[in-house]
Amino acid sequence: MALEITAVRPDPALLDLPWALPLEHWPEEVLAALPRGISRHVVRFVRLSHRVLAVKEIKGDIAVREYHLLRNLGRLDLPCVEPFAVVRGRLDRAGEPLDACLVTRHLQFSLPYRALFSQTLRPGTAKRLIDALAVLLVRLHLAGFWWGDVSLSNTLFRRDAGAFSAYLVDAETGELHQRLTDGQREHDLDIARVNIAGELMDLEAGGLLEDSGDPVETSNRIVTRYGELWEELTALERFEGGDRWRVDARIRRLNELGFDVGELAISTDLDGTQIQIQPKVVDAGHHSRRLLRLTGLDVEENQARRLLNDLDSYRASQDRQNDDEELVAHDWLTSVYEPVTRAVPRELHGKLEPAEVFHEVLEHRWYLSERAGHDVPIEDAIADYVRTVLPGKPDEAAVLGVDTVEMPVVAMFPDGGAGP
Amino acid sequence: MATVKFDEASRIYPGNDKPSVDRLNIDIADGEFLVLVGPSGCGKSTSLRMLAGLEEVNDGKIWIGDRDVTNLSPKDRDVAMVFQNYALYPHMTVADNMGFALKIAGVEKSEIRKRVEEAAKILDLEPYLERKPKALSGGQRQRVAMGRAIVRSPQVFLMDEPLSNLDAKLRVQTRTQIASLQRRLGVTTVYVTHDQIEAMTMGDRVAVLKDGILQQCDTPRHMYDRPNNVFVAGFIGSPAMNLLEVKVVDGGVRLGNGTYPVGRDHLKEASGDSVTMGVRPEDLTLTSAGQGIPVVVDVVEELGADAYIYGTASDAKQHQDVDESGADLPERPFIARVDGRRPPQKGETVYLAPKEGHVHMFDSESGKRLGD
């Protein structure tokens, strides 16, 4: 059997990896991180053509299935890791067949939950992670995806203007349906609750969870947050014909939650006194799409909200409410946003994503202004932030983690400067 | 523990006109190990999920014990899906890994301890309860995961292809472990697989499905000895049963140049002038030239005591299998078990005759079994 590689954009360098060795015996020099801990499958991170890739050894049919599932989720614009290749037909040196490998790209600036808990934490981190996971789960369910193994460890988190956004990492148990039944959604939620509680109890047993409350109670949050969000996004709302403002109010509430309404079903009863509305198609990314359109910046939802707010205050302060929005956005980008993100020295690029740096600088300016009792210019805030805050932050460009235990990074992006 | 009953249960996916599970009727006894088996798309997983509450039941009912669970949510059914998740938590002891889900469910500490100890005893994990998962072997870790399901003491265990991601050797090992564990626990279990060998070796009874319709539900022995129809005959057994289209003649059916005697009772219900005859590879004997079915040997598989010959029965018309869409599948080889010490050679023509009383007759049109 010959080595068979399935990939959208195959990188010939893939052939240089030691496919004839079982993954757990791959030599350290090809690895981007040292393995540690126990996990269901052997997973390793490798460097390849200036990229970090995650390689998971599983049976061929399961690898192909997960590869296609991840591609379909990507096409549906759902947040998940990007599949890179499936390698099948592996033989060891004695000619014995080896399991296939699923290769995915490492998601830059993403954090496994354990890495977050091993840092000094702001209170409420567990809650914010669960909130992010609830949003992810609702989005997946709306698209008809049943996960089957919802957990913090099967999720990666990106910082998002003080909150987090969640990405699906492991789709092995998942299934894409036309529409999920209530039973499937409930089952996923129940799995999520049990897994999250287990994961938090484990952190507690490892002394990593400081007064974040009772794990069981915290884990219940996934159920309530999911329920609230699902209700707002899908529920049928009835009102009197005179209360038509409620249509607009519903759309605004959905926008506020970060969703655009693609299709809203409106119907009236026979005599037209009662109106009922129900969102039929909702798309996440209300703020990030708007920011992308105005500035070309592709950032997380809350970051986009933050940046748009700053753009609005810029517009007001420049008294340009009547100018074309795109023009103002362009000026804001070159005169406000870019100077801030460019002020970060190269060796600190691996700390945080630019949009998160911008968010933190705005926060920092607020604290400085409060302390000083007057407005501090943004230039001073940047200088102070880069000098006093940023260097103390961990490098997060490539924190690599698998299933249950995170792995320390031993090799990094050449341009990231995020190495040990 | 409880019985399970599928009562005319159907599932039609939105947009489909044909049901994926069509009026399924199965009564599962308390403590029984029932295996649902069939080719992909046959409705076995959908049936299991209807029982789990993950798929809607569009028609009919599902009972667990004397409770109608048709419209209950998954978590209110008291069933446990085993193996769907077996994350182990490194900082927690084996005991905590097994018992933490009970804590979430609000079970008392002393009760949790009791159930964990009982499960550990059954799983041979007693000495390891206070250790961390890291200190366990691969097999022991898998048993801890199993323990997580056991301590919940659900009424029914549900397993959907739990062995599909294991390699062949481990699959055989784990298969035996699951079956013996289930017998020790005595918990009603419904198990889904596409692998008929897995089904036949594990189940107290096996339910074969095809195109959403139950073909037969029986003990492995009975199913093997007396398949209800041509599909079950060809699906159950490895190597597969030979199926030939044979002409009905006076006193029996035409086989090669001779007549194979078949009682009138067997053939009187046949709808055409030919029937489908099934013979298992081990029920054929070598006979002299001119008698029985002439078969040209293509491959000889030597297993020591026995050998299997795979050949072409030039004179006989093989039964044509079709796939889900109704398209013809490639013709199956004619297979016979012979003495391993003197197997025929490749290319040789051999004559094979069924042993007396070891043939199965099926109606060529409906596929249904004829006679006993």
Side-chain angles (χ1 to χ4, degrees):
Chain A
M1 204 164 28
L3 203 62
E4 187 191 328
I5 298 178
T6 311
V8 184
R9 284 181 297 274
D11 182 343
L14 260 183
L15 293 167
D16 299 335
L17 292 171
W19 298 112
L21 291 174
L23 190 52
E24 57 180 334
H25 296 144
W26 280 20
E28 229 170 88
E29 59 265 25
V30 302
L31 300 183
L34 288 177
R36 213 173 69 189
I38 49 176
S39 83
R40 188 160 38 177
H41 301 292
V42 183
V43 178
R44 294 290 182 269
F45 290 94
V46 299
R47 299 187 47 169
L48 190 87
S49 316
H50 308 305
R51 265 193 293 261
V52 173
L53 300 172
V55 184
K56 173 163 83 165
E57 200 169 63
I58 40 174
K59 282 184 63 189
D61 48 345
I62 298 175
V64 172
R65 198 181 155 273
E66 189 173 355
Y67 175 82
H68 288 296
L69 203 47
L70 287 172
R71 283 201 63 195
N72 285 335
L73 292 179
R75 282 198 199 105
L76 291 170
D77 213 15
L78 292 167
C80 64
V81 291
E82 193 187 329
F84 188 72
V86 174
V87 180
R88 278 176 293 173
R90 296 169 65 210
L91 295 177
D92 69 8
R93 300 219 162 107
E96 290 295 316
L98 293 170
D99 272 347
C101 285
L102 172 69
V103 186
T104 51
R105 280 172 198 267
H106 171 256
L107 186 67
Q108 251 192 306
F109 288 101
S110 66
L111 300 162
Y113 81 102
R114 278 176 190 274
L116 280 162
F117 281 99
S118 58
Q119 300 170 3
T120 336
L121 279 182
R122 282 173 50 192
T125 297
K127 284 182 182 154
R128 281 179 293 135
L129 293 181
I130 292 170
D131 291 354
L133 185 52
V135 173
L136 174 63
L137 195 57
V138 165
R139 289 185 63 184
L140 293 169
H141 282 179
L142 282 171
F145 182 79
W146 181 71
W147 193 339
D149 195 8
V150 193
S151 65
L152 293 171
S153 46
N154 281 339
T155 310
L156 282 174
F157 296 92
R158 265 185 175 167
R159 293 191 185 279
D160 184 10
F164 293 98
S165 59
Y167 286 75
L168 173 142
V169 186
D170 190 316
E172 202 182 306
T173 46
E175 290 164 12
L176 204 47
H177 297 265
Q178 224 161 19
R179 203 191 120 251
L180 293 188
T181 63
D182 289 345
Q184 283 165 326
R185 294 194 300 110
E186 279 173 32
H187 190 50
D188 248 4
L189 256 187
D190 199 45
I191 292 171
R193 194 174 65 100
V194 172
N195 280 343
I196 292 169
E199 286 164 331
L200 295 178
M201 285 179 196
D202 186 54
L203 290 174
E204 198 177 50
L208 290 166
L209 195 65
E210 278 168 35
D211 45 70
S212 269
D214 173 30
V216 177
E217 214 169 280
T218 311
S219 72
N220 283 332
R221 188 179 176 91
I222 187 81
V223 181
T224 49
R225 291 297 293 200
Y226 174 98
E228 289 162 7
L229 193 51
W230 184 266
E231 177 74 11
E232 190 63 78
L233 290 175
T234 63
L236 183 80
E237 195 176 331
R238 277 196 187 85
F239 44 84
E240 296 296 319
D243 286 340
R244 272 187 286 183
W245 57 272
R246 286 183 62 173
V247 178
D248 193 42
R250 179 75 177 266
I251 293 174
R252 277 169 193 270
R253 284 205 307 276
L254 291 171
N255 289 164
E256 197 45 45
L257 288 167
F259 288 82
D260 278 325
V261 181
E263 196 184 316
L264 184 76
I266 306 183
S267 56
T268 59
D269 58 1
L270 281 176
D271 58 0
T273 54
Q274 285 255 326
I275 295 179
Q276 51 184 34
I277 57 170
Q278 186 175 29
K280 290 292 177 188
V281 180
V282 289
D283 298 306
H286 172 72
H287 299 97
S288 60
R289 256 197 305 277
R290 181 165 166 240
L291 186 73
L292 185 69
R293 181 173 59 78
L294 289 173
T295 65
L297 291 173
D298 190 3
V299 303
E300 301 291 346
E301 183 62 14
N302 289 320
Q303 289 169 342
R305 193 192 306 249
R306 187 78 212 253
L307 266 54
L308 286 168
N309 281 341
D310 195 61
L311 171 58
D312 284 344
S313 12
Y314 171 80
R315 201 173 177 185
S317 69
Q318 303 282 312
D319 204 11
R320 296 179 62 182
Q321 271 90 339
N322 297 323
D323 282 9
D324 186 51
E325 199 182 18
E326 270 90 355
L327 281 179
V328 183
H330 180 78
D331 292 344
W332 169 84
L333 189 69
T334 51
S335 63
V336 180
Y337 181 76
E338 285 178 352
V340 170
T341 51
R342 262 201 231 110
V344 176
R346 204 177 156 72
E347 66 272 17
L348 298 180
H349 280 178
K351 298 286 185 187
L352 287 177
E353 276 187 297
E356 195 64 18
V357 168
F358 187 80
H359 158 75
E360 294 224 332
V361 168
L362 292 185
E363 293 278 287
H364 193 64
R365 180 172 63 166
W366 192 84
Y367 288 121
L368 290 181
S369 303
E370 193 190 40
R371 207 184 308 154
H374 59 81
D375 266 358
V376 171
I378 187 88
E379 293 78 15
D380 295 358
I382 304 166
D384 193 64
Y385 177 80
V386 168
R387 198 178 61 244
T388 62
V389 182
L390 196 56
K393 294 206 172 261
D395 287 329
E396 292 185 346
V399 179
L400 308 178
V402 294
D403 261 343
T404 48
V405 175
E406 86 277 15
M407 311 201 307
V409 173
V410 294
M412 271 304 145
F413 299 102
D415 58 349
Chain B
M1 279 184 277
T3 57
V4 171
K5 185 182 177 73
F6 286 90
D7 181 10
E8 297 279 306
S10 297
R11 169 67 173 145
I12 307 172
Y13 283 103
N16 286 10
D17 42 2
K18 240 181 84 191
S20 297
V21 173
D22 196 355
R23 285 168 292 160
L24 181 65
N25 285 302
I26 306 179
D27 277 300
I28 305 168
D30 188 5
E32 184 174 2
F33 194 127
L34 182 98
V35 182
L36 297 170
V37 68
S40 84
C42 72
K44 55 189 186 297
S45 279
T46 307
S47 305
L48 185 86
R49 286 153 186 228
M50 286 158 78
L51 174 54
L54 303 181
E55 291 285 358
E56 283 163 27
V57 179
N58 302 104
D59 214 354
K61 289 199 178 309
I62 294 180
W63 298 79
I64 295 176
D66 50 12
R67 278 196 314 156
D68 177 355
V69 300
T70 316
N71 297 309
L72 286 188
S73 88
K75 62 178 194 309
D76 297 330
R77 295 188 180 208
D78 205 6
V79 299
M81 290 276 254
V82 184
F83 275 34
Q84 64 185 355
N85 172 330
Y86 43 100
L88 291 182
Y89 301 112
H91 299 114
M92 280 158 48
T93 63
V94 167
D96 287 343
N97 263 290
M98 281 164 71
F100 83 92
L102 295 180
K103 196 169 154 192
I104 300 169
V107 178
E108 293 245 347
K109 253 188 179 162
S110 57
E111 175 66 17
I112 297 178
R113 189 70 209 175
K114 197 180 117 218
R115 290 206 215 164
V116 166
E117 278 169 5
E118 279 168 11
K121 204 169 178 178
I122 291 171
L123 294 162
D124 295 324
L125 287 170
E126 274 180 307
Y128 308 103
L129 279 179
E130 295 316 315
R131 296 201 197 168
K132 302 280 166 68
K134 214 174 170 176
L136 302 184
S137 72
Q140 287 167 335
R141 283 179 197 169
Q142 214 165 22
R143 297 213 293 277
V144 174
M146 189 82 201
R148 253 178 82 171
I150 293 174
V151 296
R152 285 183 48 197
S153 47
Q155 302 223 31
V156 185
F157 280 134
L158 304 179
M159 308 193 194
D160 192 354
E161 303 261 11
L163 310 180
S164 58
N165 59 1
L166 301 181
D167 65 44
K169 207 173 113 192
L170 200 56
R171 201 154 62 220
V172 173
Q173 243 175 48
T174 314
R175 172 169 104 193
T176 323
Q177 279 171 7
I178 291 178
S180 80
L181 183 65
Q182 192 274 341
R183 256 131 229 165
R184 282 160 78 181
L185 291 167
V187 176
T188 314
T189 300
V190 183
Y191 185 105
V192 163
T193 179
H194 66 281
D195 180 348
Q196 60 92 15
I197 300 182
E198 210 167 284
M200 296 290 278
T201 49
M202 296 179 83
D204 291 324
R205 273 192 310 156
V206 175
V208 178
L209 283 103
K210 181 185 172 249
D211 302 332
I213 296 169
L214 179 66
Q215 306 290 311
Q216 187 168 359
C217 182
D218 234 323
T219 62
R221 182 79 257 163
H222 203 239
M223 174 120 26
Y224 190 83
D225 288 342
R226 201 184 170 285
N228 267 354
N229 60 36
V230 148
F231 176 77
V232 175
F235 186 75
I236 295 292
S238 176
M241 183 188 284
N242 300 294
L243 294 163
L244 300 170
E245 296 303 322
V246 293
K247 272 230 156 351
V248 177
V249 293
D250 243 8
V253 296
R254 160 92 40 210
L255 207 58
N257 291 327
T259 298
Y260 181 84
V262 182
R264 273 194 80 78
D265 283 357
H266 277 75
L267 298 172
K268 70 175 184 216
E269 284 158 30
S271 50
D273 56 2
S274 65
V275 291
T276 306
M277 184 177 94
V279 197
R280 295 218 178 265
E282 67 271 26
D283 293 330
L284 286 159
T285 47
L286 287 170
T287 158
S288 48
Q291 288 178 25
I293 313 154
V295 173
V296 180
V297 179
D298 298 323
V299 174
V300 180
E301 191 180 83
E302 297 198 47
L303 301 172
D306 296 321
Y308 282 101
I309 55 171
Y310 294 78
T312 317
S314 48
D315 242 16
K317 189 166 167 281
Q318 287 262 47
H319 171 73
Q320 180 67 57
D321 294 315
V322 291
D323 67 14
E324 301 107 81
S325 64
D328 287 355
L329 287 170
E331 193 175 304
R332 300 181 184 212
F334 196 91
I335 309 168
R337 189 174 75 184
V338 295
D339 189 340
R341 274 161 299 190
R342 288 171 317 234
Q345 298 302 299
K346 197 177 148 185
E348 202 178 314
T349 300
V350 294
Y351 294 85
L352 294 160
K355 289 176 193 162
E356 190 79 39
H358 283 270
V359 297
H360 310 261
M361 293 294 168
F362 304 99
D363 189 287
S364 286
E365 271 168 38
S366 68
K368 281 190 182 141
R369 186 180 187 88
L370 295 168
D372 258 351

